[in-house]
Structure formats: C-alpha cells, structure tokens
Amino acid sequence: RELQHIHTAAMMQLRLKFEILNSEFRVHHHRNPIHHIESRLKSTRSMYNKLVQRGFPTSIESAKKNLNDIAGVRVVCCYIDDVYDMEDMLLRQSDVRLIERTDYIKNPNFNGYRSLHLDVEIPVYLSSKTEYARAEIQLRTVAMDFWASLEHKLRYKKEIPEFEKDSLQKELFECAQMINTLDQRMEAVKNRLAAGGQWEKS
C-alpha cells in the first residue's frame, strides 16, 4: 500500500507539472500544446509478474529498484513539435531526473508504433521523509494515440485467427505510415498559420 501510495503521489505530481506547463505555454503562444493527460498505476499482480519475467526478486525494494513504470503518465499532444517542447520543458526542472529515453517517433518500433518514452525519477515529499519514485512518461500526438489504442486491442484479442491477425497487423503498419504523414502535414499547416504575414488573394 505504501509503495502504491508513493507512486500515486508521483503520478499526481507529474500530471500537475504538465498541466502547469500547458497553461504557461498558452500564455506565451496562445494555444494549448497538450490535448489530454492520462495516468495509470501498475497493479500488484502486474508488478509481481514483471519481476518474475525479468528474473528479479519479488520484493518491494526490488520493485522500486527494477521497475520504472509502476506509475505511468501519458501526455497526448496536438503536434509532433509539442511532444519535444513538453519533454524539454519538463526535463529543465531541477527535481526531475531522467533515467532512460526511448524515441519511437524518430525510430519507430517494428510494428509502426510511435511515441516518446521517458523514464524519470522525482521526489515525493511525505510528512516525515522524502521518497524518490520512478515513473514512465509517454508523449505522443492524438493520431499516434488513436493508432496505439487500436493496436493494443488487436494484440490482446484472443479470438482473432492467426491469418486475420497477420492481415490486420500489416494494415495497421500501413496506417502508422499514413498517420506519420498526416502528423507532418498538420505540423506544416500549423507552422504556416503561426508564421502569419500578408496573404495575397489569388
């Protein structure tokens, strides 16, 4: 319970940090870069299974030391640039320590998955002590998030026959390429609008 309480607190702090950054960005740029924020806490069973799978001892100390994703925060942004802006703004904060960074946007996973993953450690201030908790942050665009939710459903649907699953995976991979093209085109439109200037009527 204490382990889950500490990581719930870490999750709440990270959500608040991103909400403040989102608000500050709006003050300076007149728009919100974050579309929405989600969070989740890994269950005791999931923690146990992951420790066993990786060959680590099944103890609270082992979970704190070896699992970076007990707490998870997903930040869904409007544009690709916003993903990297939010990363930069968060990691400038002195109480956020980066443990590991994996960029699946610039280097997509084999199935087409795109997202920026940050494993971080932050202090959690309790009544009598300060604990340090790790969390996984996923930053992605709305289009990437839509794709990932479909791919997740496909991966865990047991009743899909293998031949159909292979076909769907191929289709999803092609959709991932289309989504990446769409993200880049929307980014270009956003940048043209932000540039302003005088447009002549044709």
Side-chain angles (χ1 to χ4, degrees):
R1 283 199 299 270
E2 184 177 350
L3 181 70
Q4 289 184 320
H5 167 67
I6 290 166
H7 285 83
T8 298
M11 210 162 54
M12 292 167 65
Q13 285 183 201
L14 284 169
R15 287 189 68 119
L16 181 59
K17 283 177 179 291
F18 279 114
E19 286 167 5
I20 292 170
L21 291 174
N22 191 44
S23 177
E24 181 194 0
F25 194 98
R26 181 173 180 80
V27 169
H28 295 294
H29 302 282
H30 311 291
R31 68 177 185 85
N32 289 322
I34 296 176
H35 185 271
H36 67 274
I37 303 171
E38 301 171 7
S39 56
R40 65 105 186 97
L41 188 70
K42 194 177 279 294
S43 69
T44 306
R45 174 56 58 183
S46 293
M47 284 188 263
Y48 175 84
N49 288 342
K50 195 162 189 177
L51 289 170
V52 169
Q53 185 182 33
R54 295 187 173 185
F56 293 124
T58 53
S59 66
I60 290 174
E61 283 306 313
S62 177
K64 288 170 67 176
K65 179 181 177 183
N66 297 306
L67 300 182
N68 293 342
D69 62 345
I70 295 175
V73 176
R74 181 176 299 144
V75 182
V76 180
C77 299
C78 298
Y79 302 101
I80 296 173
D81 278 356
D82 294 336
V83 167
Y84 294 108
D85 284 341
M86 289 298 103
E87 175 199 20
D88 183 54
M89 293 166 76
L90 178 74
L91 295 182
R92 278 189 229 149
Q93 299 187 6
S94 60
D95 60 345
V96 179
R97 184 173 78 87
L98 179 65
I99 298 169
E100 187 174 350
R101 179 184 190 272
T102 309
D103 191 343
Y104 291 113
I105 297 176
K106 292 181 178 173
N107 303 289
N109 206 351
F110 70 93
N111 61 353
Y113 173 82
R114 284 177 167 84
S115 189
L116 176 63
H117 289 203
L118 306 174
D119 291 347
V120 301
E121 184 178 73
I122 64 170
V124 175
Y125 302 103
L126 304 174
S127 60
S128 59
K129 60 182 177 178
T130 301
E131 288 277 355
Y132 288 84
R134 296 181 179 185
E136 180 190 66
I137 302 168
Q138 297 176 354
L139 296 115
R140 58 177 67 149
T141 65
V142 177
M144 292 173 195
D145 191 55
F146 175 58
W147 182 94
S149 67
L150 286 178
E151 193 276 337
H152 185 269
K153 288 175 184 175
L154 170 65
R155 196 171 354 126
Y156 289 100
K157 266 196 176 292
K158 306 295 185 186
E159 66 273 16
I160 302 175
E162 281 304 315
F163 73 89
E164 183 68 359
K165 190 173 286 189
D166 290 342
S167 174
L168 286 168
Q169 285 174 338
K170 182 181 177 183
E171 187 74 22
L172 274 172
F173 182 81
E174 292 175 2
C175 287
Q177 313 313 307
M178 294 168 66
I179 281 173
N180 183 51
T181 300
L182 176 63
D183 265 334
Q184 292 183 13
R185 290 183 69 177
M186 292 298 289
E187 185 97 59
V189 169
K190 181 261 295 181
N191 290 339
R192 286 174 65 185
L193 289 171
Q198 298 296 318
W199 292 304
E200 293 181 359
K201 292 183 179 179
S202 56

